[in-house]
Amino acid sequence: MNAAVSAWWRLRTAREQRLLLVMFALLALVVAWFLVIRPLADALDEAKREHADAVAALAEARTRAGMRSSRAPVAAPVLPVDAFVSRTAGEAGFAGARIAAQGPRQANVAIDAARPQAFFAWIEQMEQGGLAVESLRARTNPDRTLAVEVVLQARVR
């Protein structure tokens, strides 16, 4: 078979041989794209979705566990507010939360993707910790999460 292919190749002109080499190179690229790159990209996207779901489920579970044990009356606010909010956001699973201090008694929080149940349970925890929601803006994401911006302020005693 090798002799037959070699004979067939020698019958081609130099121009035909170059065109065939280009065709085979492009064919190899297309095959590599469909058999290697696309499946790997799809697997990576699926892994990212599963990770986001797991992080949200963990945050929801931690928040629910915290809610069961913290039905105590409202405590005095912990100052500075941004440090308290940062710590509790991390504990609730909102590691990507962007927190900006607006003085020692107020903080702005922005979260790109949060499950509604976990987020509002965390807000309830903040209220139990002596903070009040001054403003809240939420938008839905395509993956059934919320993109939220909230301003938390320490309650005046």
Side-chain angles (χ1 to χ4, degrees), residues 18-143:
R18 283 191 300 263
L19 288 172
L20 286 170
L21 286 174
V22 169
M23 180 190 73
F24 290 135
L26 291 174
L27 180 65
L29 286 173
V30 169
V31 168
W33 175 262
F34 282 112
L35 294 180
V36 177
I37 296 171
R38 289 273 312 262
L40 287 176
D42 292 344
L44 181 62
D45 289 342
E46 180 64 24
K48 286 180 181 178
R49 274 193 299 276
E50 289 176 2
H51 179 262
D53 290 344
V55 166
L58 177 63
E60 188 173 339
R62 285 181 176 170
T63 304
R64 284 186 182 170
M67 282 178 33
R68 285 189 205 112
S69 64
S70 67
R71 292 287 184 194
V74 176
V78 177
L79 297 177
V81 171
D82 63 324
F84 176 68
V85 170
S86 178
R87 181 177 54 79
T88 58
E91 290 171 356
F94 302 121
R98 294 180 307 281
I99 301 163
Q102 302 294 318
R105 303 186 66 78
Q106 186 173 344
N108 293 344
V109 181
I111 302 172
D112 293 328
R115 295 257 175 156
Q117 300 87 349
F119 175 74
F120 288 110
W122 178 68
I123 289 294
E124 183 179 342
Q125 181 184 0
M126 294 293 93
E127 290 175 345
Q128 291 291 326
L131 301 179
V133 175
E134 184 177 304
S135 68
L136 173 70
R137 194 169 77 194
R139 294 181 328 269
T140 58
N141 293 328
D143 59 352

